[in-house]
Every structure is written in C-alpha cells, then in structure tokens.
Amino acid sequence: MEGLVVRKATEADHAAVVGLLSAAWGGSVVVAHGTTYDAATLPALVAEQDGRIVGLLTYTVADGDLEVVTIDAPVRHLGVGSALLTAAIEVAREAGARRLWLITTNDNLDGLRFYQRRGLRIVGVTPDAMDAARAVKPWIPATGDYGIPLRDELVLELRLDH
C-alpha cells in the first residue's frame, strides 16, 4: 500500500481509535483469556495513509511478552495488517519481549492463515472459552465466520528469544 505509515497512536487519534474499535468489536471492550480490556486505553499502533487512519493494533506488554489485543484492517489484502504486525514485532523487540502473542477464535480462518503465514504458531486452545466471554459481552454471536459455531480461543505466538 503506497504511502502507508505505521506509528504509535497519540491522544489526537483517540476518536479514530474508538471508531475503529466500535466498528470491529461493537465497542472498545475486548474479552480474551478471561481478561477484560478497554482497548481504547491500551497502547496502540495506527496505520495511516494520506492522513487517514486505515488500521489499528492495540497491545499490552507484561511479564516479558507483548500481547496483541486487537488488530483491525477494515480493508483487507492491502498490506495494512502485515504492516501493523511487523511494527508490533519491532515494538516487542525494543521492549525486550520474549514473544509476541495473541488470542483469536476458532472461526477466524482468515486470521489463522494470516498469522501463520507471518510466523506465528498455534500453541494452545481453550475449549468453550467463548461462553465465559459472552458472560461479559452477551452480544458475541453464537455463530462466527463461515457459519462456524463460535466456541474456542486459540493462542498463537511468535517467539522472539531464539
């Protein structure tokens, strides 16, 4: 994507960040691995083109690891997600993180392909995790992408300490 720049989000980006999170997640609250995040308050990277924010990645760094909490590229197949993930890997390395990791759901076949093609590996599955997530966010649908029942969380990671 020509002219694409990835940078750390600033306070001036807050409205755009909330807008992207709301469009993708139905609000800024994200539930993963039993943790509830307000993604609008997390550190973030934004992808910008021609002065417009065209992608967002939120993350947290804890215990020597960088967790990607959300990644959103509303228009797919233009390199926005790849640019965001590459920038997150650099942030992780700069922070001395041992790994970059994330949670996705069993129905996210496109995401699983995307992550694995970029070196992340599936390292864990939590069966029926979406039941607990629905206790916090009851509007999470029972059926996800491709008509697949939305049930499980998958953990993917990219080791950075090798």
Side-chain angles (χ1 to χ4, degrees), residues 32-33 37 60 62 65-69 99-103 120 123 154-158:
H33 58 85
Y37 297 96
T60 185
D65 297 331
L66 185 144
E67 177 186 2
V68 173
V69 177
R99 69 181 183 140
L100 175 143
W101 69 287
L102 58 87
I103 298 287
L120 281 81
V123 295
L154 286 76
V155 181
L156 288 95
E157 74 173 21
L158 176 67

Side-chain angles (χ1 to χ4, degrees), residues 36-58:
T36 301
Y37 297 96
D38 180 352
T41 67
L42 295 175
L45 298 169
V46 292
E48 192 173 51
Q49 184 179 41
D50 299 326
R52 272 188 23 245
I53 293 177
V54 295
L56 171 70
L57 182 148
T58 63

Side-chain angles (χ1 to χ4, degrees), residues 103-156:
I103 298 287
T104 193
T105 51
N106 64 287
D107 68 315
N108 188 5
L109 303 181
D110 296 333
L112 287 166
R113 181 181 65 221
F114 171 83
Y115 297 128
Q116 290 179 86
R117 288 182 66 195
R118 283 147 188 88
L120 281 81
R121 298 185 61 189
I122 298 168
V123 295
V125 178
T126 306
D128 300 318
M130 297 312 296
D131 291 340
R134 283 188 196 91
V136 177
K137 286 179 68 171
W139 56 89
I140 296 173
T143 304
D145 292 345
Y146 302 104
I148 297 171
L150 186 51
R151 295 183 179 131
D152 311 320
E153 289 182 341
L154 286 76
V155 181
L156 288 95

Side-chain angles (χ1 to χ4, degrees), residues 61-75:
V61 178
D63 301 323
D65 297 331
L66 185 144
E67 177 186 2
V68 173
V69 177
T70 67
I71 182 170
D72 299 294
V75 180

